[in-house]
Amino acid sequence: MKVAVVGATGLVGSKMLQVLAERNFPVTELIPVASEKSVGKEVTFKGKSYKIVSATTAIALQPNVAIFSAGGSTSLEWAPKFAEAGITVIDNSSAWRMDPTKKLVVPEINGDTLTAADKIIANPNCSTIQMVLVLNPLHKKYGIKRVVVSTYQSVTGTGVKAVTQLMNERAGVEGEKAYAHQIDLNVIPQIDVFTDNGYTKEEMKMVNETKKIMGDDNIKVTATTVRIPVIGGHSEAVNVEFNKEYDLAEVRSILEHTPGVVVVDDPANAKYPMPKDAHDRDEVFVGRIRRDETQDKTINLWIVSDNLRKGAATNAVQIAEYLAGKHML
């Protein structure tokens, strides 16, 4: 299968190449795509070097699938051109997520909604993916009324420049900044730009995408998203109010039997999910599972995942795997 990776030189693009290789996706020909200034440079995939080409050249080479991670403006410009050429696009930017004509997919939740006619498929926001993977089976059982989520998101969610800023600050070196404020020994309660309602775009992504992926506009979601000085892995404190009463042991059992979810919940032995343990793992980890004693039918969860993997690259590759398995590519 011919596979194009658009944005192959970025943090997520590089991770996509790694995940494609690790999962042995049936790549017969890799077509790495990046900006004009990167054309002609090389990337390595499974021990072989491949020359970076332009998007125009990539379309002419007719890949079966193009996985995009090159930012919203690139996706808005180029995804329709790939799609018009009959190439299936899996897009990791926010460009198409809330487009009512496009599917927003976490394969374990709503992969079965995909058809061969879906030529532009949206990959959800990283912080949304890890949350809905845990919440969806609980929603099926108890019905979710309201979610209050606070995130603790790593600098890799911003990109290489942010990682460099953090490490420069740690070393006392002046350099280029990704954030308006110091990130080392600090937390920044702003991810993306503020919208008119006082929430950031990242917060509103979690609100809107959760409803779309889980197929229920009645779920109320309120979010506060925060950048922390961690290199990889997003963490979330999630408070969930159900429509029905739940049993704590049953919740644990449901989550333990949910594909892609790992329960790490042994507080007596200081065992709970942490970003460093999620690093380079594809699973979503959940712990600190406990009843909210201030409100009926309400539970607290702590959810952690590698934002570059299940939060981005792995989920996109899993979509491609699903399509390939159903002979839709």
Side-chain angles (χ1 to χ4, degrees), residues 173-203:
V173 173
E174 276 300 317
E176 196 179 12
K177 303 238 187 283
Y179 304 119
H181 304 282
Q182 175 183 318
I183 184 61
D184 190 33
L185 301 174
N186 193 26
V187 299
I188 303 171
Q190 177 188 354
I191 297 179
D192 212 325
V193 297
F194 284 99
T195 61
D196 290 343
N197 65 0
Y199 288 80
T200 65
K201 271 193 178 176
E202 182 82 358
E203 289 158 356

mmCIF file of all heavy atoms in Angstrom, residues 173-203:
data_model
loop_
_atom_site.group_PDB
_atom_site.id
_atom_site.type_symbol
_atom_site.label_atom_id
_atom_site.label_comp_id
_atom_site.label_asym_id
_atom_site.label_seq_id
_atom_site.Cartn_x
_atom_site.Cartn_y
_atom_site.Cartn_z
ATOM 1 N N VAL A 173 19.554 29.032 29.447
ATOM 2 C CA VAL A 173 20.000 29.515 28.129
ATOM 3 C C VAL A 173 18.884 30.359 27.508
ATOM 4 O O VAL A 173 17.718 29.969 27.518
ATOM 5 C CB VAL A 173 20.321 28.306 27.197
ATOM 6 C CG1 VAL A 173 20.630 28.774 25.782
ATOM 7 C CG2 VAL A 173 21.466 27.486 27.760
ATOM 8 N N GLU A 174 19.246 31.513 26.957
ATOM 9 C CA GLU A 174 18.263 32.344 26.244
ATOM 10 C C GLU A 174 18.010 31.726 24.876
ATOM 11 O O GLU A 174 18.921 31.229 24.221
ATOM 12 C CB GLU A 174 18.796 33.773 26.064
ATOM 13 C CG GLU A 174 18.578 34.677 27.258
ATOM 14 C CD GLU A 174 17.113 34.859 27.616
ATOM 15 O OE1 GLU A 174 16.278 35.048 26.705
ATOM 16 O OE2 GLU A 174 16.781 34.801 28.821
ATOM 17 N N GLY A 175 16.766 31.771 24.427
ATOM 18 C CA GLY A 175 16.480 31.211 23.103
ATOM 19 C C GLY A 175 15.089 31.569 22.639
ATOM 20 O O GLY A 175 14.372 32.343 23.278
ATOM 21 N N GLU A 176 14.704 30.964 21.510
ATOM 22 C CA GLU A 176 13.399 31.208 20.913
ATOM 23 C C GLU A 176 12.297 30.698 21.845
ATOM 24 O O GLU A 176 12.451 29.681 22.512
ATOM 25 C CB GLU A 176 13.336 30.452 19.577
ATOM 26 C CG GLU A 176 12.236 30.895 18.668
ATOM 27 C CD GLU A 176 12.220 30.139 17.348
ATOM 28 O OE1 GLU A 176 12.920 29.119 17.222
ATOM 29 O OE2 GLU A 176 11.492 30.575 16.449
ATOM 30 N N LYS A 177 11.174 31.427 21.873
ATOM 31 C CA LYS A 177 10.096 31.060 22.790
ATOM 32 C C LYS A 177 8.842 30.620 22.039
ATOM 33 O O LYS A 177 8.426 31.253 21.073
ATOM 34 C CB LYS A 177 9.749 32.256 23.686
ATOM 35 C CG LYS A 177 10.923 32.789 24.495
ATOM 36 C CD LYS A 177 10.607 32.753 25.982
ATOM 37 C CE LYS A 177 11.650 33.407 26.839
ATOM 38 N NZ LYS A 177 12.849 32.617 27.045
ATOM 39 N N ALA A 178 8.230 29.539 22.524
ATOM 40 C CA ALA A 178 6.948 29.088 21.982
ATOM 41 C C ALA A 178 5.784 29.676 22.764
ATOM 42 O O ALA A 178 4.666 29.766 22.264
ATOM 43 C CB ALA A 178 6.884 27.567 22.025
ATOM 44 N N TYR A 179 6.058 30.057 24.023
ATOM 45 C CA TYR A 179 5.011 30.570 24.915
ATOM 46 C C TYR A 179 5.302 32.008 25.316
ATOM 47 O O TYR A 179 6.453 32.432 25.345
ATOM 48 C CB TYR A 179 4.923 29.710 26.184
ATOM 49 C CG TYR A 179 4.688 28.247 25.915
ATOM 50 C CD1 TYR A 179 5.620 27.289 26.314
ATOM 51 C CD2 TYR A 179 3.539 27.814 25.259
ATOM 52 C CE1 TYR A 179 5.413 25.936 26.072
ATOM 53 C CE2 TYR A 179 3.323 26.469 25.013
ATOM 54 C CZ TYR A 179 4.253 25.526 25.419
ATOM 55 O OH TYR A 179 4.044 24.195 25.172
ATOM 56 N N ALA A 180 4.251 32.718 25.689
ATOM 57 C CA ALA A 180 4.394 34.114 26.142
ATOM 58 C C ALA A 180 5.035 34.186 27.521
ATOM 59 O O ALA A 180 5.530 35.225 27.930
ATOM 60 C CB ALA A 180 3.024 34.783 26.169
ATOM 61 N N HIS A 181 5.034 33.051 28.239
ATOM 62 C CA HIS A 181 5.557 33.013 29.608
ATOM 63 C C HIS A 181 6.590 31.903 29.755
ATOM 64 O O HIS A 181 6.660 30.985 28.935
ATOM 65 C CB HIS A 181 4.419 32.765 30.608
ATOM 66 C CG HIS A 181 3.308 33.753 30.511
ATOM 67 N ND1 HIS A 181 3.390 35.026 31.032
ATOM 68 C CD2 HIS A 181 2.087 33.652 29.926
ATOM 69 C CE1 HIS A 181 2.263 35.665 30.786
ATOM 70 N NE2 HIS A 181 1.457 34.863 30.108
ATOM 71 N N GLN A 182 7.360 31.988 30.816
ATOM 72 C CA GLN A 182 8.262 30.895 31.195
ATOM 73 C C GLN A 182 7.409 29.642 31.419
ATOM 74 O O GLN A 182 6.334 29.711 32.000
ATOM 75 C CB GLN A 182 8.980 31.280 32.490
ATOM 76 C CG GLN A 182 9.863 30.190 33.073
ATOM 77 C CD GLN A 182 10.465 30.629 34.395
ATOM 78 O OE1 GLN A 182 10.902 31.769 34.523
ATOM 79 N NE2 GLN A 182 10.465 29.749 35.380
ATOM 80 N N ILE A 183 7.917 28.479 30.973
ATOM 81 C CA ILE A 183 7.193 27.234 31.209
ATOM 82 C C ILE A 183 7.898 26.383 32.270
ATOM 83 O O ILE A 183 7.240 25.692 33.053
ATOM 84 C CB ILE A 183 6.952 26.438 29.897
ATOM 85 C CG1 ILE A 183 6.108 25.167 30.149
ATOM 86 C CG2 ILE A 183 8.239 26.094 29.175
ATOM 87 C CD1 ILE A 183 4.731 25.399 30.699
ATOM 88 N N ASP A 184 9.211 26.453 32.371
ATOM 89 C CA ASP A 184 9.904 25.679 33.407
ATOM 90 C C ASP A 184 9.537 26.235 34.789
ATOM 91 O O ASP A 184 9.470 27.453 34.976
ATOM 92 C CB ASP A 184 11.423 25.755 33.197
ATOM 93 C CG ASP A 184 12.172 24.779 34.098
ATOM 94 O OD1 ASP A 184 11.617 23.695 34.363
ATOM 95 O OD2 ASP A 184 13.286 25.092 34.530
ATOM 96 N N LEU A 185 9.286 25.351 35.731
ATOM 97 C CA LEU A 185 8.886 25.736 37.099
ATOM 98 C C LEU A 185 7.647 26.634 37.103
ATOM 99 O O LEU A 185 7.509 27.533 37.924
ATOM 100 C CB LEU A 185 10.047 26.427 37.831
ATOM 101 C CG LEU A 185 11.331 25.610 37.991
ATOM 102 C CD1 LEU A 185 12.436 26.450 38.597
ATOM 103 C CD2 LEU A 185 11.071 24.372 38.848
ATOM 104 N N ASN A 186 6.743 26.358 36.144
ATOM 105 C CA ASN A 186 5.550 27.186 36.011
ATOM 106 C C ASN A 186 4.451 26.353 35.348
ATOM 107 O O ASN A 186 4.739 25.295 34.780
ATOM 108 C CB ASN A 186 5.881 28.416 35.154
ATOM 109 C CG ASN A 186 4.803 29.496 35.207
ATOM 110 O OD1 ASN A 186 4.064 29.601 36.185
ATOM 111 N ND2 ASN A 186 4.707 30.291 34.162
ATOM 112 N N VAL A 187 3.215 26.801 35.444
ATOM 113 C CA VAL A 187 2.141 26.237 34.621
ATOM 114 C C VAL A 187 1.418 27.392 33.949
ATOM 115 O O VAL A 187 1.328 28.485 34.513
ATOM 116 C CB VAL A 187 1.141 25.368 35.424
ATOM 117 C CG1 VAL A 187 1.843 24.185 36.071
ATOM 118 C CG2 VAL A 187 0.398 26.176 36.472
ATOM 119 N N ILE A 188 0.932 27.164 32.744
ATOM 120 C CA ILE A 188 0.291 28.222 31.967
ATOM 121 C C ILE A 188 -1.160 27.812 31.695
ATOM 122 O O ILE A 188 -1.391 26.844 30.963
ATOM 123 C CB ILE A 188 1.046 28.469 30.639
ATOM 124 C CG1 ILE A 188 2.519 28.830 30.906
ATOM 125 C CG2 ILE A 188 0.363 29.565 29.832
ATOM 126 C CD1 ILE A 188 3.392 28.892 29.661
ATOM 127 N N PRO A 189 -2.136 28.519 32.277
ATOM 128 C CA PRO A 189 -3.535 28.122 32.095
ATOM 129 C C PRO A 189 -4.132 28.640 30.784
ATOM 130 O O PRO A 189 -5.236 29.191 30.746
ATOM 131 C CB PRO A 189 -4.227 28.748 33.311
ATOM 132 C CG PRO A 189 -3.435 29.986 33.566
ATOM 133 C CD PRO A 189 -2.012 29.675 33.186
ATOM 134 N N GLN A 190 -3.370 28.450 29.710
ATOM 135 C CA GLN A 190 -3.846 28.835 28.375
ATOM 136 C C GLN A 190 -3.259 27.885 27.349
ATOM 137 O O GLN A 190 -2.040 27.783 27.205
ATOM 138 C CB GLN A 190 -3.431 30.272 28.020
ATOM 139 C CG GLN A 190 -3.860 30.644 26.596
ATOM 140 C CD GLN A 190 -3.322 31.983 26.111
ATOM 141 O OE1 GLN A 190 -2.694 32.729 26.868
ATOM 142 N NE2 GLN A 190 -3.556 32.283 24.857
ATOM 143 N N ILE A 191 -4.128 27.183 26.633
ATOM 144 C CA ILE A 191 -3.690 26.369 25.498
ATOM 145 C C ILE A 191 -4.520 26.812 24.305
ATOM 146 O O ILE A 191 -5.740 26.731 24.319
ATOM 147 C CB ILE A 191 -3.849 24.860 25.780
ATOM 148 C CG1 ILE A 191 -2.947 24.459 26.963
ATOM 149 C CG2 ILE A 191 -3.501 24.046 24.543
ATOM 150 C CD1 ILE A 191 -3.022 22.999 27.358
ATOM 151 N N ASP A 192 -3.849 27.326 23.282
ATOM 152 C CA ASP A 192 -4.467 27.942 22.102
ATOM 153 C C ASP A 192 -5.005 29.325 22.499
ATOM 154 O O ASP A 192 -4.814 29.792 23.620
ATOM 155 C CB ASP A 192 -5.541 27.044 21.486
ATOM 156 C CG ASP A 192 -5.627 27.210 19.958
ATOM 157 O OD1 ASP A 192 -5.430 28.334 19.447
ATOM 158 O OD2 ASP A 192 -5.878 26.204 19.261
ATOM 159 N N VAL A 193 -5.714 29.950 21.579
ATOM 160 C CA VAL A 193 -6.167 31.332 21.796
ATOM 161 C C VAL A 193 -7.505 31.349 22.545
ATOM 162 O O VAL A 193 -8.251 30.360 22.537
ATOM 163 C CB VAL A 193 -6.309 32.092 20.455
ATOM 164 C CG1 VAL A 193 -4.968 32.205 19.760
ATOM 165 C CG2 VAL A 193 -7.336 31.415 19.542
ATOM 166 N N PHE A 194 -7.792 32.473 23.182
ATOM 167 C CA PHE A 194 -9.070 32.619 23.871
ATOM 168 C C PHE A 194 -10.186 32.942 22.873
ATOM 169 O O PHE A 194 -9.969 33.652 21.890
ATOM 170 C CB PHE A 194 -8.983 33.718 24.932
ATOM 171 C CG PHE A 194 -8.240 33.283 26.165
ATOM 172 C CD1 PHE A 194 -6.897 33.621 26.348
ATOM 173 C CD2 PHE A 194 -8.871 32.519 27.138
ATOM 174 C CE1 PHE A 194 -6.205 33.202 27.480
ATOM 175 C CE2 PHE A 194 -8.180 32.103 28.275
ATOM 176 C CZ PHE A 194 -6.846 32.444 28.445
ATOM 177 N N THR A 195 -11.361 32.411 23.145
ATOM 178 C CA THR A 195 -12.533 32.708 22.318
ATOM 179 C C THR A 195 -13.405 33.722 23.067
ATOM 180 O O THR A 195 -13.128 34.085 24.211
ATOM 181 C CB THR A 195 -13.330 31.425 22.013
ATOM 182 O OG1 THR A 195 -13.781 30.848 23.242
ATOM 183 C CG2 THR A 195 -12.460 30.409 21.286
ATOM 184 N N ASP A 196 -14.485 34.150 22.422
ATOM 185 C CA ASP A 196 -15.320 35.212 22.984
ATOM 186 C C ASP A 196 -15.960 34.849 24.323
ATOM 187 O O ASP A 196 -16.292 35.725 25.115
ATOM 188 C CB ASP A 196 -16.434 35.594 21.991
ATOM 189 C CG ASP A 196 -15.884 36.321 20.771
ATOM 190 O OD1 ASP A 196 -14.729 36.809 20.851
ATOM 191 O OD2 ASP A 196 -16.576 36.382 19.744
ATOM 192 N N ASN A 197 -16.136 33.539 24.583
ATOM 193 C CA ASN A 197 -16.799 33.136 25.826
ATOM 194 C C ASN A 197 -15.834 32.987 27.010
ATOM 195 O O ASN A 197 -16.234 32.565 28.093
ATOM 196 C CB ASN A 197 -17.595 31.834 25.616
ATOM 197 C CG ASN A 197 -16.689 30.649 25.293
ATOM 198 O OD1 ASN A 197 -15.466 30.779 25.217
ATOM 199 N ND2 ASN A 197 -17.294 29.493 25.092
ATOM 200 N N GLY A 198 -14.540 33.331 26.783
ATOM 201 C CA GLY A 198 -13.565 33.253 27.870
ATOM 202 C C GLY A 198 -12.838 31.923 27.959
ATOM 203 O O GLY A 198 -11.887 31.768 28.717
ATOM 204 N N TYR A 199 -13.298 30.952 27.170
ATOM 205 C CA TYR A 199 -12.622 29.655 27.099
ATOM 206 C C TYR A 199 -11.625 29.676 25.944
ATOM 207 O O TYR A 199 -11.792 30.423 24.980
ATOM 208 C CB TYR A 199 -13.642 28.530 26.871
ATOM 209 C CG TYR A 199 -14.494 28.232 28.082
ATOM 210 C CD1 TYR A 199 -15.585 29.046 28.392
ATOM 211 C CD2 TYR A 199 -14.204 27.162 28.915
ATOM 212 C CE1 TYR A 199 -16.366 28.793 29.515
ATOM 213 C CE2 TYR A 199 -14.989 26.892 30.037
ATOM 214 C CZ TYR A 199 -16.060 27.711 30.329
ATOM 215 O OH TYR A 199 -16.822 27.464 31.441
ATOM 216 N N THR A 200 -10.590 28.834 26.036
ATOM 217 C CA THR A 200 -9.642 28.738 24.922
ATOM 218 C C THR A 200 -10.192 27.788 23.863
ATOM 219 O O THR A 200 -11.106 26.994 24.126
ATOM 220 C CB THR A 200 -8.273 28.206 25.390
ATOM 221 O OG1 THR A 200 -8.429 26.848 25.843
ATOM 222 C CG2 THR A 200 -7.684 29.071 26.496
ATOM 223 N N LYS A 201 -9.579 27.843 22.687
ATOM 224 C CA LYS A 201 -9.975 26.931 21.604
ATOM 225 C C LYS A 201 -9.797 25.478 22.032
ATOM 226 O O LYS A 201 -10.604 24.619 21.692
ATOM 227 C CB LYS A 201 -9.135 27.206 20.355
ATOM 228 C CG LYS A 201 -9.710 28.246 19.422
ATOM 229 C CD LYS A 201 -8.968 28.200 18.094
ATOM 230 C CE LYS A 201 -9.552 29.187 17.114
ATOM 231 N NZ LYS A 201 -8.766 29.209 15.869
ATOM 232 N N GLU A 202 -8.708 25.194 22.757
ATOM 233 C CA GLU A 202 -8.453 23.825 23.225
ATOM 234 C C GLU A 202 -9.589 23.345 24.129
ATOM 235 O O GLU A 202 -10.040 22.200 24.037
ATOM 236 C CB GLU A 202 -7.120 23.769 23.977
ATOM 237 C CG GLU A 202 -6.723 22.390 24.482
ATOM 238 C CD GLU A 202 -6.062 21.504 23.437
ATOM 239 O OE1 GLU A 202 -5.923 21.942 22.267
ATOM 240 O OE2 GLU A 202 -5.689 20.374 23.777
ATOM 241 N N GLU A 203 -10.047 24.217 24.999
ATOM 242 C CA GLU A 203 -11.151 23.860 25.903
ATOM 243 C C GLU A 203 -12.432 23.594 25.126
ATOM 244 O O GLU A 203 -13.150 22.618 25.400
ATOM 245 C CB GLU A 203 -11.342 24.975 26.941
ATOM 246 C CG GLU A 203 -10.196 25.009 27.951
ATOM 247 C CD GLU A 203 -9.994 26.325 28.672
ATOM 248 O OE1 GLU A 203 -10.695 27.320 28.363
ATOM 249 O OE2 GLU A 203 -9.108 26.375 29.555
#
